[in-house]
Amino acid sequence: MADDERLDALIHSVDLDGLVRMIDDRCSDRDWAGVLRLRDRCAAATRETGRQLWPAATLAEYRLALLAPPEWAATVLDGEAGRFTIGPLSEVAAQHHTWADLRPHLDAVPISLFVAHERAIRGESIDPSSLTALPPVLDIPAALQSWEPAYTVATYSDAGVEHEMPASSGVPADTEVMSSAEVVDDEATELALRQLVETWTASSTGRAESVCVEGSAVDAVAALGLHSIRIVEIPAGEALATLAWAGASGGAHGRRRGAAMGRFSTWWLLGAIGDLHDDWPPTVDEVETLLDELTWYRWDAHEPDGGWRVQLAVENTTEGVAWAFNARDDA
């Protein structure tokens, strides 16, 4: 039986195990056209007959983005593929393919800009002229700015995806706190935090809260209703890298959003803290001036290790205000 005739038989019988083996074989043979045909036929059968073949189509898309040469990887970077993959195909493809190699094969669609941002986060220098024809769906520069840290990136494989939390510095000290500071209404920052960890709360079992007070970082944490915490001052880069890690992740059960979205969400939260949304994106000077005014802290409330968490506080001593962020997904 010809190979594609066997493919049709596997589709007709909804033999997912057989389809996975066929994907493995075609990848081993570097038969990328065959992998794409398998994806197309499984997707068509799902749409037209209701056969539950989307897992095979999803695996084929994932393997093409991760392993295939640029011209074949680009076939699934259309914004339609990858809805059920463990992470966005823009991030998957960026692991092994350069922007310079992919760009000639990409259409002017939003996902292409995400690929460029993912590659910039991984250290590739992106020619701005290569982005001019793309929809401006991420209205921040692709190139990392002087004030940005080195963000952690995900590693994809057949076993899944790994994305380690940025390393923590300092040793938190036990601190007793009392909630006495005046709470300030700051809807912009509260919304920015919720958007940053939206996958944790909408697609998993996480929760997120923030508060702004007139006072110190410790006052802000106390305003969350806590009485005994551990807290330590950390570099701004560590705090921003932690926020980007959270924004990129899917928490315990959600789907990853990718490093490009994590970085954008971090910019947006920083913009809310510094009232920089009106003239967006902010300049390097504006952000550097803001960061000079901010002091960042990591804290916890003696919880056991594990789970997904962002427990940060930041104070602006120039303005006399501080914020505390508590986002967790322990499932």
Side-chain angles (χ1 to χ4, degrees):
M1 182 183 295
D3 203 34
D4 277 359
E5 291 179 353
R6 186 163 65 89
L7 168 60
D8 290 338
L10 293 172
I11 289 173
H12 182 75
S13 60
V14 196
D15 186 347
L16 291 176
D17 289 340
L19 288 166
V20 169
R21 288 192 294 272
M22 179 173 283
I23 293 170
D24 288 341
D25 292 341
R26 292 186 175 187
C27 288
S28 295
D29 294 340
R30 302 186 66 79
D31 178 12
W32 306 116
V35 177
L36 183 60
R37 287 197 306 276
L38 186 151
R39 189 289 299 261
D40 290 344
R41 294 191 187 186
C42 287
T46 300
R47 290 192 306 270
E48 296 166 6
T49 69
R51 291 184 173 90
Q52 295 302 297
L53 295 163
W54 60 265
T58 295
L59 178 61
E61 291 169 345
Y62 178 75
R63 294 281 187 83
L64 285 165
L66 183 65
L67 303 174
E71 63 272 23
W72 291 106
T75 62
V76 294
L77 297 175
D78 57 4
E80 297 297 325
R83 293 181 182 179
F84 303 108
T85 51
I86 55 178
L89 293 182
S90 52
E91 185 178 50
V92 176
Q95 180 167 315
H96 296 311
H97 304 87
T98 68
W99 173 246
D101 287 341
L102 283 169
R103 182 65 186 98
H105 308 288
L106 295 174
D107 295 328
V109 293
I111 192 174
S112 297
L113 187 66
F114 279 86
V115 175
H117 280 245
E118 294 287 356
R119 285 301 306 167
I121 290 169
R122 290 175 181 265
E124 184 176 352
S125 178
I126 305 298
D127 180 359
S129 66
S130 68
L131 309 179
T132 54
L134 302 181
V137 288
L138 289 173
D139 49 0
I140 62 174
L144 299 191
Q145 304 299 289
S146 57
W147 53 267
E148 291 188 83
Y151 299 107
T152 59
V153 295
T155 301
Y156 289 91
S157 69
D158 282 344
V161 59
E162 295 182 1
H163 186 198
E164 294 184 1
M165 188 174 183
S168 299
S169 63
V171 179
D174 289 337
T175 305
E176 298 297 321
V177 297
M178 295 183 62
S179 180
S180 58
E182 181 176 348
V183 174
V184 177
D185 185 18
D186 187 358
E187 292 183 3
T189 303
E190 181 181 357
L191 177 60
L193 176 69
R194 290 204 306 267
Q195 291 173 335
L196 186 138
V197 294
E198 182 178 14
T199 306
W200 296 17
T201 58
S203 302
S204 192
T205 56
R207 61 183 179 85
E209 56 184 336
S210 70
V211 66
C212 177
V213 302
E214 292 183 354
S216 68
V218 171
D219 293 328
V221 177
L224 292 173
L226 301 171
H227 302 289
S228 177
I229 64 170
R230 296 181 297 184
I231 191 167
V232 62
E233 183 178 338
I234 60 173
E238 180 180 329
L240 298 178
T242 299
L243 290 168
W245 163 85
S249 77
H253 302 295
R255 179 178 181 268
R256 273 188 64 79
R257 298 197 300 172
M261 273 304 301
R263 176 179 174 239
F264 175 82
S265 298
T266 299
W267 274 61
W268 192 251
L269 178 59
L270 193 60
I273 291 171
D275 292 326
L276 301 177
H277 285 171
D278 290 341
D279 189 15
W280 189 260
T283 66
V284 170
D285 287 345
E286 287 174 327
V287 178
E288 288 183 344
T289 297
L290 172 63
L291 290 175
D292 285 342
E293 298 174 351
L294 299 178
T295 304
W296 295 85
Y297 300 85
R298 186 181 77 253
W299 62 269
D300 65 67
H302 306 277
E303 300 97 340
D305 293 337
W308 302 72
R309 65 181 66 184
V310 174
Q311 293 173 306
L312 298 173
V314 56
E315 61 186 26
N316 186 324
T317 52
T318 302
E319 301 291 337
V321 295
W323 296 261
F325 308 125
N326 185 22
R328 299 190 56 179
D329 188 6
D330 295 320

